[in-house]
Amino acid sequence: MAHFLHYEKGVPVRKVPAIIGELTGVQLTQGAITQDAMKQSEQGVGARYEQLRESVREQAAIHTDDTGWRVGGDVAYLMAFVNQELSVYQIRKQHRNEEVRELIPADFAGVMVCDRGKSYDAEELSEIEQQKCLSHLIRNAVEVAESKTGRAKQFSQRLKDLLKQALALSEKRIALDAGDYQQQVTELDQEFTQHLRNRILRDDDNQRLLNGVGTQHDRGHILRFLHQPEIEPTNNRAERDLRPAVISRKVSQCSKNQRGAHAFEAFTSLLETIRKTTPLEIVRTLVQVMTGQPTIASP
């Protein structure tokens, strides 16, 4: 229960003993909780964490994103690799394609849902099918459009409208006849291709937007979700899975050392995955992992 309160609910470990004492009468110390977390992250919980890490490469789709973190006061990155049934976190000093490939190898057979970060567009990951987050792309287009006037506003405004049309078409898919839907997808794809054709624009911001988004469209990374309905068009799933960590960052000052960072990776990955698969049995399942009892299979 102490580990659940700290790693899943974000309660500072200094406050956990008082809560446990009030609820159960059991007297714990902050040191005992921390020592047990370090031990478990190297034993049962750590072993389960490694299994979850290995399972990422077997997924049909993985959403990934990151947020700032600190280890011993030094800048680090908390990276999330998630889908409907799985959450895996890792803390690293850098966020490069090397760190991404720890969990998503170059021969990953699924689809990676992500933003346009340089790490994901590295040559080493060029063979992986991707879906770029349309929410990010819409924000990029809006930012450019709002800073322009007159004809300089047209390119980014039109791009924003096309992206929103794509989202709307995806939402109407179930209500449309299959042939009708496919025809609309084809027509919209053609409009994107025409709008993002390679050309020289007078405005530098529009040119950068065209070059960046146009390259992603050429690779099939923009409208993949229309052709593969099982793929989500945004990276909201990864952003949601990072929110509890953001709360923990505010109240716990992140990780004091590498062992603490590893414990956070392992416990948070395990607890978030259990929450998705057996939400009514979180503490019981954690106890099973910590005591070596048979438990849930890897996603």
Side-chain angles (χ1 to χ4, degrees):
M1 179 63 76
H3 296 320
F4 167 77
L5 289 172
H6 178 54
Y7 291 108
E8 178 68 8
K9 296 302 181 183
V11 179
V13 69
R14 67 182 181 276
K15 294 185 177 181
V16 170
I19 296 174
I20 296 293
E22 288 288 339
L23 293 176
T24 68
V26 176
Q27 299 302 309
L28 295 177
T29 65
Q30 180 178 335
I33 296 170
T34 300
Q35 289 176 26
D36 188 66
M38 299 301 105
K39 181 183 73 173
Q40 282 296 332
S41 67
E42 296 169 356
Q43 297 180 2
V45 172
R48 177 62 179 148
Y49 174 58
E50 291 303 319
Q51 292 175 7
L52 293 176
R53 287 176 62 87
E54 286 297 317
S55 72
V56 170
R57 65 186 61 211
E58 303 167 2
Q59 304 302 306
I62 282 290
H63 296 242
T64 183
D65 202 355
D66 70 282
T67 189
W69 198 255
R70 287 188 176 275
V71 178
D74 295 330
V75 173
Y77 297 88
L78 175 63
M79 306 168 64
F81 300 82
V82 311
N83 60 21
Q84 294 92 328
E85 298 180 342
L86 175 69
S87 289
V88 176
Y89 301 86
Q90 68 176 21
I91 298 170
R92 297 293 183 266
K93 292 182 179 180
Q94 294 178 280
H95 187 299
R96 306 164 299 172
N97 77 84
E98 288 90 337
E99 284 72 37
V100 176
R101 286 189 287 122
E102 288 185 43
L103 293 178
I104 301 182
D107 60 352
F108 180 61
V111 176
M112 180 170 64
V113 185
C114 57
D115 58 28
R116 289 195 294 149
K118 293 182 179 179
S119 302
Y120 310 121
D121 288 337
E123 180 65 28
E124 291 84 350
L125 297 172
S126 62
E127 297 301 315
I128 294 178
E129 292 185 349
Q130 298 185 26
Q131 171 61 59
K132 295 302 182 182
C133 176
L134 260 67
S135 294
H136 283 82
L137 295 175
I138 290 172
R139 284 200 296 270
N140 295 156
V142 168
E143 287 171 1
V144 174
E146 290 180 345
S147 67
K148 307 298 175 185
T149 59
R151 296 186 63 181
K153 195 181 187 76
Q154 293 177 2
F155 174 81
S156 51
Q157 184 68 43
R158 177 60 175 159
L159 177 59
K160 182 201 73 172
D161 292 342
L162 287 171
L163 290 166
K164 288 190 172 182
Q165 286 180 38
L167 287 175
L169 179 56
S170 175
E171 293 173 357
K172 294 191 300 182
R173 181 180 61 85
I174 297 178
L176 292 173
D177 173 77
D180 217 13
Y181 172 77
Q182 190 55 53
Q183 181 179 349
Q184 292 190 42
V185 168
T186 300
E187 292 174 353
L188 186 57
D189 202 332
Q190 291 172 349
E191 289 187 65
F192 263 93
T193 300
Q194 173 63 20
H195 188 60
L196 295 172
R197 68 191 183 280
N198 189 25
R199 62 194 189 278
I200 303 298
L201 301 177
R202 292 184 178 181
D203 182 84
D204 290 342
D205 293 330
N206 282 316
Q207 188 69 60
R208 282 190 289 270
L209 193 60
L210 169 60
N211 293 345
V213 180
T215 297
Q216 300 299 338
H217 179 60
D218 292 343
R219 294 172 178 173
H221 296 344
I222 304 297
L223 301 181
R224 187 179 303 280
F225 71 100
L226 292 179
H227 301 279
Q228 298 175 240
E230 71 277 9
I231 302 301
E232 297 173 31
T234 72
N235 203 22
N236 293 342
R237 185 174 295 279
E239 293 177 351
R240 288 196 303 270
D241 277 30
L242 281 171
R243 284 174 191 161
V246 171
I247 296 173
S248 296
R249 180 177 63 197
K250 292 179 179 179
V251 300
S252 68
Q253 311 305 312
C254 303
S255 306
K256 292 184 178 180
N257 51 48
Q258 288 294 338
R259 289 188 72 200
H262 178 59
F264 185 90
E265 296 172 331
F267 272 95
T268 306
S269 297
L270 177 57
L271 286 165
E272 282 296 304
T273 299
I274 295 172
R275 181 182 62 79
K276 291 179 176 181
T277 54
T278 54
L280 300 181
E281 299 289 338
I282 297 180
V283 175
R284 180 178 297 181
T285 304
L286 178 59
V287 169
Q288 291 173 339
V289 172
M290 293 172 64
T291 56
Q293 301 175 44
T295 183
I296 56 174
S298 297

